[in-house]
Amino acid sequence: LMDAGLGRRPSVVTVACIGLGVGLPSALKMEMFQNQDWVWGVGLMLSGLFFAVGAVVFGLEKLRVETVNGPGNDLRIGRWWTILVAALVPVEAVVLMVWWLLQTREWNPETWLDPTGVYTAGTVLAQWSVALVLLILANRWLADRWSSGRGESS
């Protein structure tokens, strides 16, 4: 928020209020807490997949040599890491996510795509979609704000 031009104090207050507003329902209702644990627990597998894809795009060998084994690191990671991140991590992430989401069909055959259910594939996909749209919009807004502040065209 500070990068977007908001001062430190208003940024802290805004983040605190958003955190309170988003976290309060989970604190007050156990079903909401269970739902959020389910949705974002599965989301951790998605973030691992994003890490692997980002690492591949960046260059796995470059990442391993310059960052992972970079200056100040006393634990050296071998070439096996490159193979692991390139092949095993993406496959594992996709298999686990598909498996977990298909499990919801066994648990709730009639409602497994219900976006309002606690443990359904529908709630995962709906909440991920909302989060993705919000993050894309925020990224575009911040990128436009940042580039216009530097006199660049977007």
Side-chain angles (χ1 to χ4, degrees):
L1 292 175
M2 290 174 61
D3 288 344
L6 205 57
R8 179 176 299 277
R9 180 163 292 209
S11 295
V12 169
V13 170
T14 300
V15 169
C17 289
I18 290 171
L20 181 66
V22 171
L24 200 57
S26 294
L28 297 175
K29 189 171 182 186
M30 185 53 101
E31 290 82 16
M32 178 64 85
F33 177 76
Q34 291 167 331
N35 172 266
Q36 293 304 288
D37 183 51
W38 161 249
V39 169
W40 302 109
V42 177
L44 286 173
M45 290 181 266
L46 183 65
S47 71
L49 177 62
F50 283 164
F51 167 78
V53 170
V56 167
V57 169
F58 179 79
L60 285 171
E61 196 59 22
K62 178 181 174 186
L63 180 66
R64 184 181 71 81
V65 170
E66 294 178 10
T67 304
V68 177
N69 290 342
N73 293 336
D74 56 354
L75 178 64
R76 298 290 176 208
I77 303 298
R79 292 190 191 278
W80 57 268
W81 182 86
T82 303
I83 296 165
L84 189 73
V85 174
L88 185 62
V89 171
V91 170
E92 182 180 41
V94 170
V95 168
L96 283 172
M97 278 191 304
V98 168
W99 178 72
W100 272 109
L101 294 176
L102 290 178
Q103 283 286 72
T104 65
R105 188 168 42 180
E106 290 180 26
W107 301 336
N108 312 299
E110 296 84 32
T111 61
W112 75 287
L113 287 175
D114 178 10
T116 62
V118 174
Y119 298 111
T120 66
T123 193
V124 170
L125 298 174
Q127 290 182 54
W128 286 0
S129 297
V130 168
L132 185 61
V133 167
L134 291 174
L135 289 170
I136 288 170
L137 292 173
N139 185 58
R140 286 185 180 162
W141 179 76
L142 283 171
D144 288 345
R145 188 171 175 92
W146 184 77
S147 65
S148 67
R150 298 186 72 211
E152 299 173 6
S153 62
S154 38

